[in-house]
Amino acid sequence: EYKSYLRKMSKRRRITNALGSEVVPGSIMKVELQNFMCHQYFEVEFSPTVNFIVGRNGSGKSAILMALVIGLGGKSSATNRAPNMTEFIKQGSSWAQVAITISNSNVNHDAWLHEEYGDSVIVERRITKKTSHYKLKTDDGRTVSTKKNDLVLLLDHYNIQVNNPVSILNQEMSKMFLASTDPSDKYKFFMKSTHLEQMIEDYQSINEKLEHTVMTINKKEKSIPDVKADVRILANQYHEVTELRDLGNKVSLMKDELIWAKVKDIEDELIPLESSLAKLNLHLPNIEEKIRHHKEKYAEAEAGVKAIEAESTAEMARFTSLESDQSSLRQLASAKRRLLIDNKGQQKSKQKQIAELEADNQQLAERIKEIQEKNDAQNHEKERTMKKNELEEARSQQRLLMEQMTHATSNMEALEQKLNQLNEEHSRVRDDIDHIEVEARNIDSNLKMHKEASQNRVRVFGRFMPDLLKRIEVAFNQGRFTHKPRGPFGLHIKVKDSTWSRVIELAIGGGMCNFVVHNNKDKNVLQELFEKCIQSRSEWPNMIMMKFRDTKYDVRQQKPATEYQTLYDMLDIDDCMISNALVEQYRIEQSLLIRSSEEARKLIIGHCPRNVTQAWTLSGDDVRERGVYTNDLSRRQTQYFGSDHTQIIAELEKNKANIMEQKTSCYSKKASLDREMKAVRSQSHGIREKQQRVKRELNKVKSKIIELDTIEDVPIIDATAMEEDVSQNNNTIQQLKHELSTLKEKEAKLKEDYDDASKKHNESLERDSFINNRLEELKNKINEGQRDLNKKLATLNIYKEKKKDITNQIKAFKNDKTNKEKEIEAARELAQSRCAPVKVVRTSRELEQQIYNMEARIQKGMKSTLKVEDITRRYHEAKKKYEEIRKSVSVLKNFSQTLAKTLSERQDKYFRFRKEITIRMNFFFMMNLSQRGYNGKLSVDHVKRQLKMQLNVDTSGTSEETHDVRTLSGGERSFSTVCFICSLWNIMESPFRALDEFDVFMDLYNRRITMNLLMEHASQSSRPRQYIFFTPQDMSTLSKRFKNIKILQLAAPERGSNT
């Protein structure tokens, strides 16, 4: 078909102009516009070769292109500019008109109806507000036809297709197919331009008609048994004529049966009433049992909520008590620690005393041994004189040593007192350091969270949240979700008054991280994403399943009639589903916000207003009808709402700096105390050594005095006093050891007391954290319990309504049963008055139909003797109809088989044609590329429905590698696209081509190359065509380079004018 079409077009006689092109009948000679788009009146004549319509945006270029499409029968949708024809009427006018003059020269006797129209045909289309119509005129204005079908014949004759982008390519079509880098869009453009798409649609239409023919054959074949049965029935009717005599008696008996059948029908109507009544009576106890069951469930749930509320109150009191106990426990631990340190100091002191006494005993033992040796010596008199002098000297030395001992003891006591004071101060500093380090860790944690939140607010709802939201978006784009889950809630909520931010975060709590899903499928998909993003299952956000809708709930009827605002009023929620979820789950429209706790208690406790579930105060109190739950907001910062992270970070940095200064100061003070304690211990050690040294010398002096003092009375020195001192020292050592043992035992007890106090303090801190978490958990349980309570109450009300409905139905069925029994009694009396009871085996409807048929047969039998001839005639007609149907089925089967075979052959030809036209297009594409020194090809994949352009832009010839056009520059892509259009022009015939703003995105160099390509294509084409280009660029230089180019410069639009 394509080859024969080309041969036909090549036979047309061509008129050569100076450019080298040839005028072909069917080209556009003139376009005249009236009240069309921005033109009140506009007329333009076209050259048979190349035409440029040049003008700025808004000057009316596109209106001329739209006029070509609309004037030649195109629909408004084909322009991509207006939804209907009335949009093309100039503002302020009631009609518009487009007149297009088409060349109809008969140079080769190939004109369309040349005898009627002459050398040109004027196609005129007039558009009004309600309709539009066509006129086909001669060149002198005489109307020849007003039928659109004649316009279609004219367009088919000259192969003009306004919907084909090869003929007319507007900006929208170019953006849709050519500007796109998607190979599928290029393939669609190729199929549309080459009519291959239309051929596929035609083959599909033929295939549908073939299927319809097969369905018709099947339908006729199915009707053959029925027609054959009719023939058999008519054949049997003749034999039934003789049986009409017996029908009268049968009808009489059947009428009696009909009377009692109607009685039976009424009785049968009573059966379903009794059955329904019985079922309702059986179902009513079940409903009552369910009502009782749900009442118990409601009471249990209510008791559970009250128990949780009581537990919450107790935990709050316990929390308050623990906070006051923490300070005393910390002080107790510090005191126990100081006692333990004192005990260890006493032990060291006792150990030193024992060591000193043992050293004294050793010296006394040596002295005793020395005295005993001296008692055995001679010349005591001489020695006595010497020892008197020694006695005086020893007593003098003793007084001096006693003074030194007293002074050392006084200094030692002062140092021990100072050391105890330093130990107490050191313990307090260590406690301060521990407290500062805990506070520093808390500040670091908050600082890290707010820094992350300042970079991405989503991180406030969890570090995993940004990754989770990205995965949700990807899964939604992949079609895994029915509706995209909405969340986290806090991301879509703003607080109108920031003073309530902490209170609202407390009220909603963990719900700020919740998500809402449409159905169970979406919930399962979201759970899969949770498993991928969140390591701990305990950190999973809650999911609320609700059917999605596009509007928020109307809560006006549920809001309380008070002067106070509700949580719903205070929140600005930008997502309707999150708003609805908060209404259902948290009853935010029934939670009041009251600044004063006293005012809230007065309003709520004991006499809660209608539609009010609770009230929140600025201090964090949760006031309900049953009581008040207090919360400490003094140390709570806003985490989700309106946080100025920069300010908070600055404040935390400042606090951290202060804490570090305090920490440095404490460590400095601790180091100073350590140095001072070390110095005191060193002094104490020096004094203690001096004491021991003085004491040893004093003991020696005492021993010497005793020895010398008794030298005059006894000739022999008595060592008994020294032995007594040794014994006394031994007793003292035993006593000190006993005291040391007692101190060690006491040390174990003190250490145990200290560990127990520290443990209690730590446990108190853990209990504080645990109770705080427990309070939050209990609050969530209370809210959950309240929601469960509302659900149970709703379920209970549903069953109460069901009971009410069943009771009303039972009452109605009883009335219907009574009325039906009365109706049965009346029907029986009437039947007995007409005949005796008979056995009923058929329904009244069957009897009525049979009686009607029999009476009809009797009436027919009572007619003239032509009855038999009438039946014979009908029998032959039915038989003839049967034979005609069989013959028709045979003919249609042959036709469908022939059509199927022909369609298969045509499809084979289609594939060969598609292959040939693809090869030709690729050949011309390579030829066009070569004009710029490029090479490449078009890869067409008909299976994947993709067309890819592959180019090698290396003009040096050193590389043969081709690249996808998506990797090229904008100018190179534009040039390759023009080459693609020219290759389509080469393979598809059309008397004219029209391109709208084809060069608007090209640079100067690529525009010049493209224009050379287009002009060379126009001059070297083997078949003459007309070209119409629309561009906002200046084309005056082309008239100097090429002859016979018509350039129409449109006037610039005036601002504020649409004319």
Side-chain angles (χ1 to χ4, degrees), residues 607-632:
H607 43 77
C608 186
R610 183 174 175 271
N611 289 338
V612 175
T613 58
Q614 63 190 134
W616 292 91
T617 68
L618 274 178
S619 60
D621 292 343
D622 180 6
V623 184
R624 300 175 183 252
E625 187 175 9
R626 300 185 184 93
V628 180
Y629 305 94
T630 59
N631 297 282
D632 184 12

Side-chain angles (χ1 to χ4, degrees), residues 893-1001:
K893 280 185 176 180
N894 293 331
F895 170 74
S896 63
Q897 291 172 359
T898 303
L899 183 60
K901 181 179 179 182
T902 304
L903 180 60
S904 178
E905 293 174 352
R906 292 294 295 273
Q907 286 177 337
D908 291 340
K909 292 179 181 180
Y910 162 78
F911 290 123
R912 291 197 297 272
F913 172 68
R914 186 180 68 181
K915 181 178 180 181
E916 179 180 347
I917 203 169
T918 302
I919 293 171
R920 286 173 54 80
M921 176 183 66
N922 207 349
F923 169 75
F924 286 116
F925 180 71
M926 291 188 291
M927 293 295 293
N928 292 328
L929 286 177
S930 64
Q931 300 202 22
R932 192 176 171 182
Y934 296 167
N935 60 71
K937 63 179 180 178
L938 296 174
S939 297
V940 183
D941 189 338
H942 295 291
V943 177
K944 296 182 180 179
R945 299 182 64 82
Q946 291 182 349
L947 187 150
K948 296 181 180 178
M949 294 185 188
Q950 295 179 334
L951 271 72
N952 181 357
V953 297
D954 183 12
T955 58
S956 63
T958 57
S959 173
E960 296 182 357
E961 183 181 0
T962 59
H963 303 277
D964 191 276
V965 293
R966 287 176 288 189
T967 64
L968 302 179
S969 66
E972 291 167 345
R973 282 202 305 270
S974 300
F975 178 76
S976 62
T977 302
V978 172
C979 291
F980 176 51
I981 295 173
C982 290
S983 64
L984 290 174
W985 284 354
N986 285 115
I987 62 174
M988 296 305 297
E989 181 60 40
S990 179
F992 65 87
R993 317 287 196 192
L995 272 72
D996 187 14
E997 296 196 10
F998 61 94
D999 59 345
V1000 68
F1001 297 112

Side-chain angles (χ1 to χ4, degrees), residues 388-404:
K388 282 183 179 180
N389 296 328
E390 291 179 359
L391 180 62
E392 292 297 328
E393 184 179 353
R395 286 177 176 170
S396 176
Q397 187 178 2
Q398 181 184 22
R399 288 192 294 272
L400 180 62
L401 290 174
M402 288 295 291
E403 291 177 0
Q404 292 179 358

Side-chain angles (χ1 to χ4, degrees), residues 623-885:
V623 184
R624 300 175 183 252
E625 187 175 9
R626 300 185 184 93
V628 180
Y629 305 94
T630 59
N631 297 282
D632 184 12
L633 295 183
S634 61
R635 293 179 294 177
R636 187 184 183 105
Q637 291 183 343
T638 56
Q639 182 177 355
Y640 303 109
F641 293 134
S643 297
D644 185 354
H645 297 287
T646 304
Q647 182 178 354
I648 293 176
I649 289 171
E651 184 177 348
L652 289 172
E653 292 283 5
K654 182 178 179 181
N655 293 342
K656 182 178 179 180
N658 293 336
I659 288 293
M660 294 308 294
E661 288 179 2
Q662 294 177 20
K663 185 176 179 180
T664 303
S665 175
C666 287
Y667 272 108
S668 176
K669 188 173 183 180
K670 179 176 176 295
S672 176
L673 289 172
D674 288 338
R675 288 192 299 271
E676 191 172 354
M677 289 171 67
K678 184 177 180 181
V680 171
R681 289 192 184 99
S682 177
Q683 293 178 13
S684 176
H685 180 71
I687 293 173
R688 189 175 288 110
E689 288 182 347
K690 183 177 180 180
Q691 278 182 320
Q692 291 174 356
R693 187 174 62 256
V694 170
K695 189 174 182 180
R696 285 194 298 270
E697 291 179 358
L698 188 61
N699 289 333
K700 289 180 180 180
V701 170
K702 283 182 179 180
S703 298
K704 188 174 181 179
I705 290 173
I706 292 172
E707 179 184 355
L708 295 174
D709 194 33
T710 56
I711 196 169
E712 294 180 357
D713 298 329
V714 289
I716 300 173
I717 298 174
D718 189 4
T720 304
M722 293 184 184
E723 291 175 351
E724 289 177 356
D725 287 342
V726 171
S727 176
Q728 184 178 358
N729 286 345
N730 288 332
N731 292 334
T732 304
I733 288 171
Q734 292 298 323
Q735 183 179 357
L736 289 173
K737 286 184 177 180
H738 176 71
E739 290 176 356
L740 181 63
S741 175
T742 303
L743 286 173
K744 287 184 177 180
E745 292 176 359
K746 189 176 180 181
E747 178 189 8
K749 182 65 171 60
L750 289 173
K751 189 175 186 305
E752 183 180 352
D753 291 345
Y754 171 68
D755 292 341
D756 184 58
S758 298
K759 183 178 179 182
K760 287 181 179 179
H761 181 238
N762 294 331
E763 288 176 352
S764 175
L765 292 174
E766 292 177 358
R767 282 196 301 273
D768 188 8
S769 176
F770 174 78
I771 292 174
N772 202 3
N773 295 333
R774 180 61 177 164
L775 284 171
E776 185 69 24
E777 181 183 349
L778 289 174
K779 179 188 170 184
N780 293 333
K781 284 186 177 181
I782 291 171
N783 292 333
E784 185 67 28
Q786 193 63 46
R787 291 193 291 272
D788 184 55
L789 204 62
N790 294 335
K791 290 181 181 178
K792 284 182 169 53
L793 181 59
T795 305
L796 180 62
N797 291 333
I798 289 172
Y799 281 109
K800 285 182 178 179
E801 289 296 324
K802 284 186 178 180
K803 179 183 177 182
K804 183 178 178 181
D805 293 340
I806 291 173
T807 305
N808 293 335
Q809 290 179 23
I810 290 174
K811 184 177 180 181
F813 277 129
K814 284 182 178 180
N815 293 333
D816 292 343
K817 180 183 177 185
T818 302
N819 295 333
K820 191 60 67 177
E821 288 174 346
K822 292 179 181 179
E823 186 179 352
I824 291 170
E825 186 64 28
R828 282 182 174 276
E829 291 177 358
L830 178 61
Q832 288 175 352
S833 66
R834 293 187 179 180
C835 64
V838 297
K839 184 179 179 180
V840 178
V841 296
R842 290 165 287 191
T843 64
S844 61
R845 189 170 182 180
E846 290 175 348
L847 288 169
E848 287 175 346
Q849 185 64 38
Q850 291 177 10
I851 290 171
Y852 175 79
N853 293 337
M854 288 183 179
E855 287 180 342
R857 290 177 62 187
I858 291 172
Q859 292 294 327
K860 291 178 182 178
M862 292 174 64
K863 292 182 180 179
S864 63
T865 56
L866 296 177
K867 173 64 178 175
V868 178
E869 289 78 6
D870 182 56
I871 292 175
T872 302
R873 178 183 55 78
R874 291 175 58 197
Y875 167 71
H876 286 294
E877 289 177 352
K879 186 176 181 181
K880 181 180 179 182
K881 180 180 178 182
Y882 171 69
E883 293 295 336
E884 288 177 349
I885 291 175

Side-chain angles (χ1 to χ4, degrees), residues 294-355:
H294 284 287
K295 280 184 177 179
E296 293 176 356
K297 290 290 184 182
Y298 179 79
E300 291 176 1
E302 188 176 26
V305 171
K306 289 181 178 179
I308 295 172
E309 289 175 344
E311 184 180 357
S312 177
T313 304
E315 291 292 339
M316 179 56 71
R318 184 182 171 196
F319 178 75
T320 305
S321 174
L322 282 175
E323 279 190 328
S324 62
D325 292 344
Q326 279 185 19
S327 177
S328 61
L329 287 173
R330 184 172 62 252
Q331 294 175 358
L332 178 62
S334 298
K336 295 293 183 182
R337 186 169 178 273
R338 288 193 296 272
L339 289 175
L340 183 62
I341 292 172
D342 291 343
N343 180 276
K344 288 182 178 180
Q346 291 179 18
Q347 286 187 51
K348 289 181 180 179
S349 175
K350 298 294 182 184
Q351 289 172 351
K352 288 180 181 179
Q353 291 179 21
I354 290 171

Side-chain angles (χ1 to χ4, degrees), residues 164-310:
N164 192 332
V166 170
S167 295
I168 298 177
L169 180 62
N170 56 36
Q171 295 182 51
E172 287 72 16
M173 186 68 70
S174 177
K175 291 176 184 176
M176 187 183 304
F177 294 109
L178 298 180
S180 171
T181 59
D182 188 355
S184 299
D185 292 335
K186 291 287 194 302
Y187 183 83
K188 291 176 183 177
F189 185 78
F190 162 69
M191 295 293 287
K192 187 175 183 67
S193 301
T194 56
H195 298 289
L196 292 175
E197 183 179 46
Q198 182 63 42
M199 292 173 70
I200 291 175
E201 293 175 356
D202 292 342
Y203 290 152
Q204 289 175 348
S205 175
I206 294 171
N207 196 39
E208 290 174 358
K209 291 180 180 178
L210 179 60
E211 292 175 355
H212 178 72
T213 303
V214 173
M215 290 175 60
T216 303
I217 293 171
N218 293 335
K219 185 176 180 181
K220 286 181 177 291
E221 285 182 336
K222 288 180 181 179
S223 68
I224 289 176
D226 295 335
V227 176
K228 190 174 182 180
D230 291 341
V231 174
R232 189 166 50 251
I233 291 171
L234 289 171
N236 294 332
Q237 283 182 354
Y238 177 77
H239 302 287
E240 296 176 358
V241 175
T242 57
E243 300 175 2
L244 294 176
R245 294 189 302 272
D246 300 330
L247 294 179
N249 295 331
K250 290 183 179 181
V251 169
S252 178
L253 294 174
M254 290 174 70
K255 286 183 176 180
D256 292 341
E257 186 180 355
L258 177 61
I259 293 173
W260 288 99
K262 290 183 177 180
V263 174
K264 186 175 181 299
D265 289 343
I266 300 174
E267 291 174 345
D268 290 342
E269 292 176 1
L270 183 62
I271 293 173
L273 285 175
E274 292 176 340
S275 175
S276 299
L277 188 59
K279 288 180 180 179
L280 290 173
N281 286 327
L282 288 174
H283 189 50
L284 184 60
N286 294 334
I287 295 297
E288 292 174 342
E289 175 63 23
K290 287 183 178 180
I291 291 173
R292 184 191 63 77
H293 173 73
H294 284 287
K295 280 184 177 179
E296 293 176 356
K297 290 290 184 182
Y298 179 79
E300 291 176 1
E302 188 176 26
V305 171
K306 289 181 178 179
I308 295 172
E309 289 175 344

